[in-house]
Amino acid sequence: MDFPRHIVRTALRREAAGALSWRSAQLRHAVRCALGMLLAVVIASFRPGDPLTVSFLMTTFAIMQPEWRDALAKVWQRVAGSVAGAVVLVLALWLLPHSALLPLGLIALLVGFPFMQAKPMVFNGCIVLMSVSVNAVTKHLDPGATLAEYVLLVALAVAIALLFGFAAVPGVPKPPVAQRFSEATTAMGELLGSVAARLRGEPGGDAREVGPRFRTAVRTHQDLLAPEPGSRGPDSAQRDALDESVEGLRGLAASAGAMLQRRTGSAELAGFTADAAAALTTGAPPPARPDLPDEEERLLADLVLADVLRISHGRAVLTPA
């Protein structure tokens, strides 16, 4: 299906406006990541040429997650893997000759890569063996001192990541999935209500009212997939319903933008849009598509109806009775 260009431009502009709102969990996490990485880069700049700098920066970035529980999981994987790798390396230094370090590091790299996704703790332990062994041999460094530096850099990366990547105060409840879904559908319903008023030429459809509602609608449906840190994570069934509902909300935002750019109003399209808004806010059945004479209006009505149906399917999973 070929969409009019102004629909695509409007959708991209509105998505960007919602993402750049300070109330967006995505933007706040991006700022925390930027500050944490800035501090890590400043610290790394005091040790130019240090071969372990890359591992330090990658560890810092990997630990910082939007969710507190995810950050703690990354910390456990990194710390436990690094400790295990350090123990194996200490035994290797004690039992094996120095010439065996380089083959040991290469073997650890080959062994660790298949476990990168399935068992990240094993992968992190192998990376310790590889990084310390290879750098100690190729840079002519003391392997014991290099290992100690690696462990200290991991500890420093953990401290920086938890300082800037912390997402919530433990014990403080955050909005569950059902509440976030309700906020997103209500915000989108209010937006469509303003669009319907604009199409009728009624008060409540001017730019001063529609603009903030656009930003709120986009931000709330983005928060469905990027929830406020510390909130309960969705289960597998809810993830599928979330994906479908967010796609529907994104489509409605694009259709709303396209309707606002129309120069002529339409009473039939306005009434259909108002009914779609009521279906979002109350959970009522989606409205029937009216017989519209304009081809673009028919396209917009079909898109709105399809997206409302998507959201209705997700409602049964995300807000059970």
Side-chain angles (χ1 to χ4, degrees):
M1 181 181 294
D2 294 329
F3 295 98
R5 289 186 177 181
H6 67 270
I7 295 181
V8 178
R9 289 195 301 267
T10 300
L12 294 175
R13 187 169 63 252
R14 298 304 181 184
E15 284 286 325
L20 294 177
S21 168
W22 183 245
R23 297 185 63 187
S24 169
Q26 293 173 312
L27 178 65
R28 293 197 301 274
H29 176 62
V31 171
R32 286 195 294 267
C33 284
L35 292 175
M37 290 306 299
L38 177 61
L39 177 59
V41 169
V42 169
I43 293 174
S45 67
F46 288 102
R47 298 182 63 84
D50 190 336
L52 301 180
T53 296
V54 174
S55 297
F56 166 62
L57 295 176
M58 290 179 63
T59 300
T60 305
F61 181 75
I63 293 175
M64 286 189 291
Q65 301 292 319
E67 286 285 344
W68 179 253
R69 65 178 67 88
D70 293 338
L72 291 181
K74 291 288 186 181
V75 168
W76 167 247
Q77 293 168 3
R78 291 279 171 168
V79 172
S82 297
V83 171
V87 170
V88 173
L89 185 57
V90 168
L91 293 175
L93 293 175
W94 183 35
L95 299 174
L96 300 177
H98 188 273
S99 59
L101 287 181
L102 184 58
L104 177 64
L106 296 177
I107 292 173
L109 179 63
L110 295 176
V111 170
F113 262 116
F115 295 99
M116 182 183 295
Q117 297 295 331
K119 295 185 180 297
M121 193 180 302
V122 175
F123 172 74
N124 291 329
C126 292
I127 290 298
V128 174
L129 290 171
M130 182 276 298
S131 182
V132 175
S133 299
V134 172
N135 283 305
V137 173
T138 59
K139 305 291 184 181
H140 306 290
L141 303 173
D142 176 51
T146 305
L147 176 60
E149 181 188 356
Y150 190 99
V151 173
L152 289 175
L153 287 176
V154 168
L156 182 58
V158 168
I160 293 173
L162 291 182
L163 176 64
F164 287 95
F166 78 96
V169 178
V172 177
K174 292 298 190 297
V177 173
Q179 182 178 338
R180 298 199 309 270
F181 179 84
S182 176
E183 291 174 353
T185 53
T186 299
M188 185 58 67
E190 292 175 352
L191 172 60
L192 291 180
S194 296
V195 171
R198 177 72 172 269
L199 293 174
R200 293 193 186 103
E202 298 174 353
D206 57 276
R208 289 176 297 178
E209 300 231 1
V210 174
R213 286 180 176 171
F214 245 120
R215 290 189 291 272
T216 300
V218 172
R219 176 182 57 79
T220 53
H221 80 240
Q222 288 176 342
D223 287 347
L224 273 177
L225 291 182
E228 188 69 23
S231 58
R232 183 186 297 273
D235 56 34
S236 57
Q238 288 177 330
R239 289 192 191 98
D240 295 336
L242 280 173
D243 291 337
E244 185 175 16
S245 298
V246 169
E247 286 301 316
L249 290 167
R250 284 174 176 164
L252 289 176
S255 299
M259 285 188 280
L260 288 173
Q261 291 192 356
R262 293 182 59 80
R263 296 181 180 179
T264 58
S266 169
E268 294 83 359
L269 184 60
F272 171 77
T273 304
D275 292 340
L280 288 175
T281 54
T282 65
R289 199 206 77 174
D291 185 16
L292 299 168
D294 184 80
E295 181 179 357
E296 185 173 339
E297 288 184 358
R298 289 196 299 271
L299 171 62
L300 289 171
D302 286 337
L303 292 173
V304 169
L305 183 58
D307 291 326
V308 172
L309 286 171
R310 279 182 169 183
I311 297 167
S312 298
H313 295 157
R315 187 186 300 273
V317 178
L318 299 176
T319 57

